[in-house]
């Protein structure tokens, strides 16, 4: 499990991350999302047999409208609980949809989903790549 927090984050941020991790989530502090994306986009390409999120962009059409909403919310760095509240869903429903998103797009984890959502402009960010 990956938990990304800023070293200067406060006690509330740390506690939220611990709770999210205990619930099986892999939280990414929202203010780190932009730094994560920038470092991914600006880094030189890595040659590996593993597929990278940009290759998954061609499969975005496989997602339902709700799955795209979930992916966009993940791209904003929201936890499953925050997404559930935002979209008025049960947290278990969010987890189900997120699992479907990862499977359909052949992504390994939430971090790849964040990168894909950001680079494809699903979060409303105009700084698209590709």
């Amino acid at each position: 499990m990956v938990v990304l927090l800023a070293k200067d984050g406060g006690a509330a941020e740390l506690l939220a991350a611990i709770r999210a991790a205990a619930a099986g989530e892999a939280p990414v502090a929202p203010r780190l999302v932009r730094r994560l994306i920038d470092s991914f986009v600006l880094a030189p390409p890595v040659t590996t047999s593993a597929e990278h999120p940009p290759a998954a962009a061609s499969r975005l059409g496989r997602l339902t409208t709700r799955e795209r909403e979930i992916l966009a919310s993940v791209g904003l760095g929201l936890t499953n609980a925050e997404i559930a509240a935002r979209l008025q869903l049960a947290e278990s429903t969010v987890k189900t949809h997120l699992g479907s998103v990862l499977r359909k797009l052949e992504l390994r984890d939430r971090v790849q989903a964040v990168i894909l959502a950001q680079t494809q402009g699903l979060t409303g960010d105009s700084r698209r790549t590709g």
Side-chain angles (χ1 to χ4, degrees):
M1 175 177 306
V2 175
V3 178
L4 297 174
L5 298 171
K7 63 182 176 182
D8 60 344
E13 188 175 315
L14 178 60
L15 184 58
I18 291 169
R19 286 185 176 138
E25 297 177 22
V28 177
R31 60 195 177 113
L32 293 181
V33 170
R34 173 51 43 205
R35 282 192 252 170
L36 174 67
I37 299 308
D38 287 344
S39 66
F40 175 80
V41 170
L42 298 175
V46 177
T47 304
T48 176
S49 61
E51 188 171 329
H52 295 285
S58 65
R59 293 187 290 275
L60 285 174
R62 296 179 183 178
L63 301 182
T64 66
T65 300
R66 180 61 83 188
E67 290 167 345
R68 287 179 73 93
E69 290 174 324
I70 300 289
L71 179 58
S73 298
V74 167
L76 293 171
L78 301 178
T79 65
N80 289 352
E82 292 167 332
I83 296 168
R86 180 181 193 193
L87 299 178
Q88 299 179 347
L89 299 170
E91 193 171 344
S92 60
T93 302
V94 172
K95 288 179 184 181
T96 299
H97 282 304
L98 182 56
S100 180
V101 167
L102 296 177
R103 186 179 60 260
K104 285 181 179 181
L105 300 181
E106 299 176 29
L107 299 172
R108 281 190 315 262
D109 53 35
R110 192 179 194 100
V111 172
Q112 281 193 332
V114 168
I115 292 167
L116 180 67
Q118 287 281 328
T119 59
Q120 294 304 305
L122 300 179
T123 61
D125 188 347
S126 61
R127 294 175 57 188
R128 293 177 72 165
T129 63

